[in-house]
Amino acid sequence: MSFSLPADPPTARSLTAIVPQLLASLSDAGDWFVSARSAILVLVDGLGRGNLTARAGHARFLTAAMTKKDAARSTFPSTTATALTGLLTATDAGTHGIVGYRARIPGTDIAPNQLKGWETDGLDPMTWQRAQPLLEREANAGRPTFVVSKGLYRDSGFTRAIQRGAEFVGAATPAERLTAAARASANPGALVYVYIPELDTLGHAHGWESERWLRGLEELDADLRRFEAMLSPGVGALVTADHGMVDVPAHRHVLLRDGDPLLHDVALVAGEPRMLQLYTTDGSAAAVAARWREAEQSRSWVMTREEAIDAGLFGPHVHPDVRDRIGDVLVAARTAVAYYDDRVADKKPQRMIGQHGSWTDQERIVPLIRLGAFANG
């Protein structure tokens, strides 16, 4: 193998194991959590453990509740579409098939946005995402299951792909969502999933080191403090995230333009700025990977699809239907850089400051913060 990634510790906990462990706690059989009457999973998009620790003084409630062992590793790529699918199906990308932010439909030159492409590019929520959602499985077995999120997500393709089966509760603000979740947890044996994307939105627009992000963190910390006080006895809640965030200022952007040797034999650029997926012309993957390694190995990990699969980055098994969705060459940033295809007319993505998607600890390590009944063990 001609590339090397830092390995996860053998005792590292995986984001994909969280929901099975929560369900085990409802059956008195959990390894991570004590027994609970109902369980609430609060997913704060973009709240990496490193981001939270660095701003501990602005989130005193959350950091006081977080112990050193309470962390998990997110998926690869460390991007919302892949991570949330892994979280809510308990499978890796090689099984569920959501292999990145933008990934090619095999046999085409189309690389849909995996969060929004269901509506714009005709992805079928029942088949493109290949694993059964745990919420659907549990609802079919008679468990009360709830998704509490922004109302605009109620009928989205991504919601149907990974959250179908649960009762959807729409609420506008994080505080309202947390209140609705506490109310839903009154159903014995309930599993409640709460999605809070606001902090991620602030991070993308302003950076996680900005004053705007800090204010958002302070507000969320206060909301979660009030939320814990609402929990009935025996109800456990877990606060976690799908990924962390790295700020990449404009002067650290790598702009790929016409004539750039790095684009030679590259038919399609997809993925996202910190985890490019390059789809090459036939037979050219090794040559493309070699060019990228020579130019970028000091600041990025470069690997072929086969190397990534052999390393288990997409899980221990990659289904044949999923294999060709993965880029022929992957470029995962390890320093504060972001790659953009500057030939694309829409330059709005280049205004994004907070970013994620790669293998760094800052992007992949997320907190596991226990509240309510779970705080007891």
Side-chain angles (χ1 to χ4, degrees), residues 1-139:
M1 185 179 298
S2 54
F3 81 101
S4 177
L5 287 172
D8 288 337
T11 58
R13 292 173 169 178
S14 171
L15 189 78
T16 60
I18 288 176
V19 175
Q21 287 290 334
L22 291 175
L23 290 169
S25 77
L26 300 178
S27 303
D28 296 322
D31 296 323
W32 295 8
F33 309 111
V34 299
S35 177
R37 182 171 60 83
S38 295
I40 303 173
L41 174 57
V42 180
L43 192 290
V44 182
D45 200 320
L47 184 62
R49 184 181 170 98
N51 306 116
L52 178 58
T53 301
R55 296 293 179 264
H58 296 268
R60 294 183 179 179
F61 171 71
L62 286 174
T63 52
M66 181 174 63
T67 68
K68 288 184 179 180
K69 70 176 182 178
D70 285 338
R73 257 65 174 187
S74 187
T75 57
F76 180 79
S78 53
T79 195
T80 298
T82 303
L84 293 190
T85 305
L87 175 74
L88 294 177
T89 65
T91 62
D92 294 302
T95 297
H96 62 63
I98 308 301
V99 299
Y101 177 66
R102 290 179 59 239
R104 184 178 65 179
I105 299 174
T108 77
D109 291 325
I110 301 171
N113 180 321
Q114 305 287 281
L115 291 172
K116 302 177 182 177
W118 314 89
E119 287 75 25
T120 60
D121 294 294
L123 298 181
D124 186 345
M126 305 301 291
T127 59
W128 183 255
Q129 194 290 99
R130 302 180 59 262
Q132 183 181 27
L134 295 177
L135 293 168
E136 179 183 51
R137 186 195 73 185
E138 293 300 308

Side-chain angles (χ1 to χ4, degrees), residues 99-278:
V99 299
Y101 177 66
R102 290 179 59 239
R104 184 178 65 179
I105 299 174
T108 77
D109 291 325
I110 301 171
N113 180 321
Q114 305 287 281
L115 291 172
K116 302 177 182 177
W118 314 89
E119 287 75 25
T120 60
D121 294 294
L123 298 181
D124 186 345
M126 305 301 291
T127 59
W128 183 255
Q129 194 290 99
R130 302 180 59 262
Q132 183 181 27
L134 295 177
L135 293 168
E136 179 183 51
R137 186 195 73 185
E138 293 300 308
N140 289 346
R143 183 182 303 282
T145 60
F146 301 87
V147 169
V148 187
S149 187
K150 284 187 170 183
L152 63 89
Y153 298 144
R154 179 186 302 272
D155 297 316
S156 77
F158 191 59
T159 294
R160 296 198 303 276
I162 70 170
Q163 299 168 12
R164 62 179 178 264
E167 179 179 337
F168 189 98
V169 180
T173 69
E176 291 169 344
R177 273 169 248 147
L178 292 167
T179 299
R183 188 178 305 121
S185 70
N187 293 272
L191 177 63
V192 185
Y193 170 71
V194 188
Y195 181 55
I196 298 179
E198 283 81 359
L199 207 60
D200 182 71
T201 301
L202 289 171
H204 284 313
H206 306 285
W208 76 270
E209 298 185 80
S210 67
E211 289 296 325
R212 293 285 298 275
W213 192 89
L214 284 178
R215 290 200 298 273
L217 178 62
E218 290 169 349
E219 292 169 3
L220 178 63
D221 192 62
D223 289 340
L224 286 165
R225 183 190 297 272
R226 289 188 289 268
F227 164 69
E228 186 179 46
M230 300 176 198
L231 299 179
S232 300
V235 174
L238 179 73
V239 180
T240 190
D242 51 347
H243 55 74
M245 192 164 283
V246 174
D247 281 359
V248 183
H251 72 273
R252 299 301 304 272
H253 291 179
V254 180
L255 302 180
L256 305 170
R257 299 186 170 103
D258 279 328
D260 192 321
L262 292 176
L263 292 176
H264 184 62
D265 287 330
V266 175
L268 181 65
V269 178
E272 57 196 293
R274 284 188 57 78
M275 218 301 283
L276 291 182
Q277 303 210 32
L278 307 176

Side-chain angles (χ1 to χ4, degrees), residues 316-334:
H317 306 288
V318 174
H319 191 276
D321 290 346
V322 174
R323 184 186 179 281
D324 288 344
R325 299 182 188 183
I326 301 169
D328 296 293
V329 176
L330 309 178
V331 182
R334 58 180 175 180

